[in-house]
Amino acid sequence: MLNKIILLLSLQISLLGTTFGGNVLIWPMEGSHWLNVKIIIDELIKKGHNVTVLVASGALFITPTTSPSLIFEIYEVPFGKERVEGVIKDFILTWMEHRPSPLTIWRFYHEMAKVMKDFHMVSREICDGVLKNEKLMEKLKKSKFEVLVSDPVFPCGDIIALKLGIPFIYSLRFSPASTVEKHCGKVPYPPSYVPAILSELTDQMSFTDRVRNFISYHLQDYMFNTLWQSWDSYYSNALGRPTTLCETMGKAEIWLIRTYWDFEFPRPYLPNFEFVGGLHCKPAKPLPKVLWRYKGKKPSTLGANTRLYDWIPQNDLLGHPKAKAFITHGGTNGIYEAIYHGVPMVGVPMFADQPDNIAHMKAKGAAVEVNINTMTSADLLNALRTVINEPSYKENAMRLKRIHHDQPVKPLDRAVFWIEFVMRHKGAKHLRPAAHDLTWYQYHSLDVIGFLLACVATAVFLATKCCLFSCRKFGKTGKKKKRE
Amino acid sequence: MLNKIILLLSLQISLLGTTFGGNVLIWPMEGSHWLNVKIIIDELIKKGHNVTVLVASGALFITPTTSPSLIFEIYEVPFGKERVEGVIKDFILTWMEHRPSPLTIWRFYHEMAKVMKDFHMVSREICDGVLKNEKLMEKLKKSKFEVLVSDPVFPCGDIIALKLGIPFIYSLRFSPASTVEKHCGKVPYPPSYVPAILSELTDQMSFTDRVRNFISYHLQDYMFNTLWQSWDSYYSNALGRPTTLCETMGKAEIWLIRTYWDFEFPRPYLPNFEFVGGLHCKPAKPLPKVLWRYKGKKPSTLGANTRLYDWIPQNDLLGHPKAKAFITHGGTNGIYEAIYHGVPMVGVPMFADQPDNIAHMKAKGAAVEVNINTMTSADLLNALRTVINEPSYKENAMRLKRIHHDQPVKPLDRAVFWIEFVMRHKGAKHLRPAAHDLTWYQYHSLDVIGFLLACVATAVFLATKCCLFSCRKFGKTGKKKKRE
């Protein structure tokens, strides 16, 4: 009897988590992006897969470790950590100095264009580091990967996958102007209620907001097309046929988007898009009683009830029952930890999607924003008091928490499911919209509309001619009759 | 030890299927629609909910049964079964006689308009049967329902839910012209690659196909608006405020669509749409060895190896390892049973979505079509031979089967999950797009485009005026100078 139950238990366990070992290749991005992808990698390894991560020798945050199922394939690039650090620093400082607003948008794009040039140069050296390294490419080919998971903020993951003849998947928060999702992924973004990235707008827009949003979309599209255009020839060269960055990106089997409807405003999407926001969150572990993360010298005025730590696990801190509020720069990872644990936020956004993220949380009633450039300690204190003392903030944070936790499948499990799906089926072609086979004017039915207008114009022209002809004829007959 | 394991097992089971008893109200539709909703009802009861089904006294297919958790609330309507039967018969015969094609589309809509008038009359009497029955409405109010699940092909489920102050969910295959999903549900349907309902087109369209598709959408929209328009005043009267059918339908919390991407061509949708096609399918039970479903007199020529049955379970038959092909009229339920078991099809479509459904299966390489109006026994035999002997049909049917079975959560579980979600959270507002708050011209950004065009026109006008003014001024000065 005992044996039978044990058999039953193990059978159940094996059914719950059917495993098969496969080979997964990762094309990562630096910083917080890496933290997010790392969680997926850990779960893939837990499920019995072997994972290889492609890391540039100049990588900043990605620290290679050793494990039997996890290989870090380091390739040479002609730059060091300080170069990457410099680009990231420039990026952040420029953004913070010229934070986009309706009045400063041109200046912002102008300044960012300079930084992006540097960024693209580093990106290209990273690409070359793999694609021009024949020995490495040969080794990767022999490794029989079944799928490549790419963070498309660094281009080239897609090229590597195509060169290895394997399907690829994106892990993405957003692309500049949502251009990649919109033009390369074919997702409709109606500007009337889907706020443009970096606009800090919500889905409730006044007429002026909608005008701003409409202009934002077109302006950002233009910026993306200008700044990323040079990749088209790089992609064509690398793949040995005329193509574009966008066309190649459109070949992604699945797009794992790092948000969900607890965070985003509802908007249209396609069956090959999966919203896995918060996949890195987990229940909190217990913490020491009082604590403070601080790297500098211990201030002499520090009270006896405050302990300083070099690093503390943010997730465990937010999950502590006494966590009343979260002062955050508004990164997606941090916001998701706050949602996961139902903690209201004081947002001090700095760059990239952070102002947008805080705008979302404000709209959902779970955050107050403080401007990092102008704030005083009184502003911060007031904001903290507001989110702690006004019950609506906690209630809304708890509502988002309930929505986040009440999904048919957890975000991480869904992310891994679709990666494994692509491995099992060698793709996910049944989820790919036929929009990819159309030109832009076909996609918008412009040729059809033009044709139908031409038909109507011809019909009207012929009808008018006929009318005029009959009028003239009958008119003449009438005149003749009168004369007779 | 044994006790511990048993405890562990039961804990695991209770975690897998956490139950809480709630009250669910069902607004059903006749025929195959009812078969599909019945499966959801059975699962809801299994999970501990109490279900009440509203049934008209003249209902044709819905046979009330007794069970402690399932109540059939029968309300009086001024018509009998034969009336419903008559309308359905008219509907089918008219459709089969005037099957829509590019050349016959006008005649088809003209004839269908007559049938739809009858259908709407019956629909309205059904609505009145509940809404004007004060005693019943009072009883329903007292029953404390938490959600209403409605098949919107019979209108009014939404009105009942709003009058009871509870959220409602739709269970839907499609609406005429997809108008309900498109205009009331706010789902984008790009006519360039999403084939219009009843067009029998696929997602791979030539220029001519796209012209046809574009016209189909607009024609069907027009037909829907004309034929369903009278419901607007009915809805306004019933709800005691000016509203429309479409506005009210737009309040659905979740749309459970009875297809999935094994069957549909990938297209945009919204977060409150859930594709649960094939939720009624299940593994086959064993069958007697040879069999034949036949209601009439036993033919004298029948071979000794053929047995006649009054009814046989189609799902078990299709799941039999020796099932080589499925001759089907192309109903969604039947097609899903074939997909579930991986059986190629010979489609003999008759009406409604059936020609479309078979067109989908043909495009996916799992079916051959035979025209019911013109077919000979040789045609049927040839079609059968093709799908049985050409291996691609079986391969494609098996591919669809693999796609169908490889989902993170089974369709029925997802359907029940979202019904329970709406019960737990009193709605699913976080999935509702803000598009519902916009007028049609705001939704399409027409006011924004108009405003921007006006701005550009004004700028051009002012620039021209300035130019002309300076030209004239400088011109005069020049002349003056010359004279001097």
Side-chain angles (χ1 to χ4, degrees), chain B residues 106 109-110 113 218-228:
Chain B
W106 276 112
Y109 283 127
H110 184 77
H218 289 85
L219 200 63
Q220 290 187 27
D221 274 357
Y222 171 76
M223 290 306 297
F224 183 87
N225 288 334
T226 321
L227 296 176
W228 267 258

Side-chain angles (χ1 to χ4, degrees), chain A residues 156-223:
Chain A
C156 265
D158 28 40
I159 299 182
I160 296 166
L162 291 179
K163 280 198 164 280
L164 298 179
I166 55 171
F168 63 95
I169 289 173
Y170 284 141
S171 163
L172 180 71
R173 161 70 183 94
F174 76 100
S175 71
S178 305
T179 299
V180 169
E181 300 91 311
K182 195 168 49 179
H183 295 303
C184 320
K186 305 295 177 190
V187 176
Y189 275 71
S192 52
Y193 72 97
V194 183
I197 281 292
L198 313 183
S199 68
E200 296 179 48
L201 292 166
T202 72
D203 62 347
Q204 300 294 329
M205 291 185 261
S206 66
F207 176 74
T208 325
D209 290 340
R210 287 192 294 113
V211 171
R212 243 185 78 198
N213 201 45
F214 191 87
I215 296 174
S216 287
Y217 268 112
H218 288 86
L219 201 63
Q220 291 187 26
D221 273 357
Y222 170 76
M223 291 306 296

Side-chain angles (χ1 to χ4, degrees), chain A residues 112-124:
Chain A
M112 284 308 289
K114 290 183 208 162
V115 182
M116 287 316 292
K117 251 187 199 160
D118 258 10
F119 179 82
H120 286 312
M121 218 178 291
V122 169
S123 276
R124 204 149 306 183

Side-chain angles (χ1 to χ4, degrees), chain A residues 5 192 210 406 425 443 447, chain B residues 5 192 210 406 425 443 447:
Chain A
I5 290 169
S192 52
R210 287 192 294 113
D406 207 355
H425 300 263
Y443 174 78
D447 53 346
Chain B
I5 290 171
S192 54
R210 287 192 293 112
D406 208 354
H425 300 263
Y443 175 79
D447 53 346

Side-chain angles (χ1 to χ4, degrees), chain B residues 155-167:
Chain B
C156 265
D158 28 40
I159 300 182
I160 296 166
L162 291 179
K163 282 198 164 276
L164 298 179
I166 56 171

Side-chain angles (χ1 to χ4, degrees), chain B residues 202-253:
Chain B
T202 73
D203 62 348
Q204 300 294 330
M205 290 185 262
S206 66
F207 176 74
T208 325
D209 289 340
R210 287 192 293 112
V211 171
R212 243 186 78 197
N213 200 44
F214 191 88
I215 296 174
S216 287
Y217 268 112
H218 289 85
L219 200 63
Q220 290 187 27
D221 274 357
Y222 171 76
M223 290 306 297
F224 183 87
N225 288 334
T226 321
L227 296 176
W228 267 258
Q229 199 187 25
S230 62
W231 281 103
D232 289 351
S233 58
Y234 188 93
Y235 269 63
S236 300
N237 281 336
L239 291 168
R241 58 185 161 79
T243 185
T244 62
L245 172 80
C246 211
E247 193 198 355
T248 312
M249 295 189 88
K251 294 187 191 300
E253 304 288 337

Side-chain angles (χ1 to χ4, degrees), chain A residues 276-277 279 281 283 340 404-405 407-416:
Chain A
V276 292
L279 61 82
C281 302
Y340 186 91
H404 182 83
H405 287 268
Q407 300 181 48
V409 182
K410 282 180 191 157
L412 181 57
D413 293 339
R414 276 187 290 127
V416 170

